Amino acid sequence: ALVFAGGYAFGIPVALGLVLQRLRSRAGSLAGWQLRWAFLVGKYRDAYFWFEVLVLVRGLGIVLALTVFGSPLGRAYGGYLVICVALGHLLVAQPYRLLMHNIVAQLCLGACAMLLLAVTVSETLARVCLYGSIVVVMGAVLCGVAYDVVEARRARVVLAKHFDDGVELAEVGVAGVGDPTTFEFGLR
């Protein structure tokens, strides 16, 4: 069972990374590759097409921290360490194409780090931080979704206007600001 669990936990991120790398190297054009695999890579900047693998590794790190350490305090510190490393990388790399997505991810990881650190201080602080974390994460996710809906509607209106004017898709730059290789739909 441990062999299969290890194969699953380590195999999926490694396999996804290898598949993404192989598919990208075989692709004729970057834009075509991004369109075909947009559900995996479309939200990340070109240099961070592999970031989904890092998200899987982060999850693996948290699971390992919660299972490897014996004491509750050790588990909290282990999870906190994994979250802080992930948050630090996220702050430096800014892997998402849209600033709002980077902010949402930072708020969610920050709230999780705050909760794990609070668990190490006191039960009362942990409860307060639990409720605060839930509010922060839900608020960030809901704001992010609302932002995406507003931007998608705005892009649809702009595209409809251009099509009514007889403008070709290539002239508008459907996928971004005149650059068809990006997926920033907020035609600025």
Side-chain angles (χ1 to χ4, degrees):
L2 285 176
V3 171
F4 288 111
Y8 180 80
F10 292 100
I12 289 178
V14 169
L16 179 60
L18 292 173
V19 166
L20 286 175
Q21 186 72 353
R22 184 173 182 201
L23 290 172
R24 185 166 182 184
S25 66
R26 285 181 157 187
S29 71
L30 184 60
W33 180 79
Q34 286 177 328
L35 278 173
R36 185 168 190 177
W37 301 103
F39 70 97
L40 280 175
V41 300
K43 60 188 164 210
Y44 305 116
R45 292 188 295 142
D46 295 338
Y48 292 97
F49 71 93
W50 49 267
F51 195 75
E52 198 67 40
V53 174
L54 207 54
V55 171
L56 292 173
V57 170
R58 178 179 64 211
L60 174 62
I62 291 170
V63 169
L64 287 175
L66 296 176
T67 56
V68 169
F69 296 107
S71 71
L73 194 60
R75 291 176 181 160
Y77 279 128
Y80 177 73
L81 178 65
V82 170
I83 295 288
C84 284
V85 168
L87 180 58
H89 180 259
L90 188 66
L91 288 167
V92 171
Q94 301 286 311
Y96 294 95
R97 290 187 183 279
L98 298 177
L99 177 63
M100 181 63 162
H101 294 165
N102 283 302
I103 292 170
V104 167
Q106 292 162 9
L107 285 171
C108 291
L109 285 177
C112 292
M114 177 188 67
L115 175 60
L116 286 171
L117 190 59
V119 167
T120 66
V121 176
S122 75
E123 189 174 326
T124 304
L125 183 61
R127 283 182 193 216
V128 170
C129 287
L130 172 64
Y131 299 131
S133 295
I134 290 171
V135 168
V136 168
V137 169
M138 292 301 295
V141 169
L142 290 174
C143 286
V145 169
Y147 175 83
D148 286 343
V149 168
V150 168
E151 284 296 306
R153 285 187 176 175
R154 192 169 69 81
R156 185 183 306 162
V157 168
V158 169
L159 287 174
K161 178 189 174 298
H162 285 298
F163 284 128
D164 288 344
D165 293 342
V167 176
E168 292 294 323
L169 261 147
E171 294 175 35
V172 178
V174 168
V177 187
D179 181 3
T181 64
T182 65
F183 288 89
E184 298 164 353
F185 283 103
L187 298 168
R188 312 268 187 272

